[in-house]
Amino acid sequence: MIVVGLCLFVISNLLAAAADHFSLFLVSRLIGGMGSAALVPSIMAYVVDITTDEQRPRAMSFLGASMSSGFIIGPGLGGLFAEFGTRVPFFASASIGLLAVICCLPLLPESKSVEVRLMHLKSKQKKENIFRQLAQSVKSRYFILLLMIFALTFGLTHFEAIYPLFVTQSYGFTTRDISILFMVCSLIGTFNQVMLTNRLTQRFGEKLIISSMLLLSAVSLVFLLFSGNFFYVMVITMLFFTFNNILRPTINTLLSKEAGNEQGFVAGLNNAYMSLGQIFGPVLAGALFDIHINLPYLFGAIVLLVSCFISVKWLGIKNGVIPQENRRVKDQAL
């Protein structure tokens, strides 16, 4: 599934590079979405298969770092490649995808033996279609975490979709300025994620980290509106990327713990909620931008704040936070 997803990604970018009509470009994006649906859940399930509960937070941190940095470095490099032609970024993406396929075939073994896969295949019941699964996920024990995935992706795509327009119209930044901002801030944010995520979760726990990062992400969106100084914008952008980079693997780790034996199924729902965020984030950001230039970031901050309040209430109960009085009773019983 990982190889199939990568191949579809390559085909999608080649079609986009060759597109001479809007309809062909839409077909390329459809194929790219199919590739993402095959690739992302399979990668997450693979990581879960090859790690223990103790290893998983660090593994998810590295996986989240690669995904987040790809989402952010991609637009930065794309802006630089576009100076050589508008089709060049798509050829570059296709080349990177093809390199990943070539590396994946000899270097990535199956995470489970043939016997184990056949046993799981025989024991699995027929799954409902994705729309019914999304409806049923609302009643699941991990729905709030899926909602956090949606809010996180919504906030990030909301941020990215309008960022070039916002800093150009508000502060007069050039394409090169924007590319530098994306790449530098992404690299620093990814470095901070790798260095900090595992340490923070071990010290404070997933619940506090999720709530704090949602709150700080919302605050950084608002702070972006205060000044057009290049270095100020760079610091705020770097902080926003860092908070998001730490948040994603933390949520994924907690989600994998809640999933139990349903890792592949939950990873599929995870990808579905990410896709919903990627759809509604840019669309709503564009509509709000037409109304007022600051509205997208103000609304994105509200979404993240609401998610923060929900996480404080739900995760506090779900993670077994015991009031002090009940804790003494429990300790005496033990």
Side-chain angles (χ1 to χ4, degrees):
M1 292 301 295
I2 292 175
V3 172
V4 168
L6 288 170
C7 289
L8 290 174
F9 172 79
V10 173
I11 293 171
S12 169
N13 279 280
L14 290 176
L15 276 178
D20 55 1
H21 193 271
F22 185 64
S23 59
L24 185 57
F25 194 80
L26 286 178
V27 171
S28 78
R29 297 310 307 139
L30 175 63
I31 295 174
M34 294 168 60
S36 175
L39 182 63
V40 177
S42 303
I43 290 175
M44 290 183 175
Y46 189 100
V47 170
V48 171
D49 285 344
I50 63 173
T51 57
T52 63
D53 287 343
E54 292 75 21
Q55 297 169 334
R56 197 162 302 152
R58 183 172 177 80
M60 284 295 183
S61 176
F62 279 107
L63 178 60
S66 65
M67 292 176 64
S68 299
S69 58
F71 276 127
I72 298 164
I73 292 177
L77 288 176
L80 294 178
F81 288 142
E83 295 186 359
F84 302 99
T86 55
R87 300 177 189 271
V88 173
F90 297 108
F91 283 118
S93 295
S95 301
I96 294 173
L98 185 60
L99 177 63
V101 173
I102 295 172
C103 293
C104 185
L105 288 172
L107 299 178
L108 194 68
E110 282 291 348
S111 60
K112 293 182 178 180
S113 65
V114 177
E115 293 77 11
V116 172
R117 297 203 306 275
L118 288 175
M119 182 180 67
H120 282 301
L121 188 63
K122 292 178 181 179
S123 64
K124 280 185 178 178
Q125 297 179 350
K126 185 179 178 181
K127 299 289 186 183
E128 303 284 355
N129 66 65
I130 185 60
F131 299 105
R132 190 176 295 273
Q133 289 178 25
L134 286 172
Q136 292 174 348
S137 70
V138 176
K139 301 178 181 179
S140 68
R141 63 184 181 276
Y142 35 73
F143 170 67
I144 297 299
L145 291 171
L146 293 172
L147 192 62
M148 298 299 162
I149 291 291
F150 170 80
L152 170 64
T153 309
F154 179 93
L156 183 59
T157 56
H158 208 75
F159 178 87
E160 289 183 341
I162 295 303
Y163 190 87
L165 295 173
F166 176 80
V167 296
T168 298
Q169 294 190 23
S170 294
Y171 306 139
F173 288 5
T174 65
T175 302
R176 185 177 295 274
D177 292 334
I178 297 169
S179 298
I180 292 172
L181 281 170
F182 266 116
M183 287 190 294
V184 172
C185 294
S186 171
L187 290 174
I188 296 174
T190 302
F191 176 80
N192 290 338
Q193 175 188 354
V194 172
M195 296 300 295
L196 297 176
T197 303
N198 195 47
R199 297 177 182 178
L200 290 174
T201 53
Q202 285 183 351
R203 181 168 182 177
F204 300 106
E206 287 93 351
K207 175 244 177 182
L208 182 59
I209 296 303
I210 290 173
S211 303
S212 301
M213 293 303 111
L214 285 169
L215 176 62
L216 291 172
S217 295
V219 171
S220 61
L221 279 182
V222 176
F223 271 50
L224 189 64
L225 308 176
F226 289 167
S227 173
N229 179 272
F230 182 82
F231 293 102
Y232 173 86
V233 173
M234 176 177 286
V235 170
I236 298 299
T237 304
M238 179 271 295
L239 289 174
F240 179 80
F241 287 160
T242 297
F243 300 147
N244 274 261
N245 287 2
I246 293 174
L247 184 57
R248 185 180 299 277
T250 306
I251 296 177
N252 286 337
T253 299
L254 201 56
L255 187 59
S256 71
K257 292 179 180 178
E258 287 289 328
N261 295 325
E262 301 177 319
Q263 297 295 336
F265 173 66
V266 173
L269 284 175
N270 186 331
N271 191 59
Y273 277 83
M274 283 177 57
S275 298
L276 290 174
Q278 290 171 343
I279 293 169
F280 291 110
V283 170
L284 189 55
L288 293 173
F289 189 82
D290 284 340
I291 299 173
H292 191 279
I293 195 170
N294 292 338
L295 266 183
Y297 290 150
L298 292 175
F299 183 79
I302 292 173
V303 171
L304 291 170
L305 277 176
V306 171
S307 301
C308 175
F309 293 141
I310 293 174
S311 71
V312 168
K313 182 176 180 180
W314 185 85
L315 292 177
I317 298 172
K318 200 68 178 176
N319 280 5
V321 175
I322 306 170
Q324 191 65 28
E325 182 178 344
N326 293 343
R327 188 184 300 275
R328 287 196 298 268
V329 174
K330 183 177 179 181
D331 290 341
Q332 290 172 3
L334 290 173

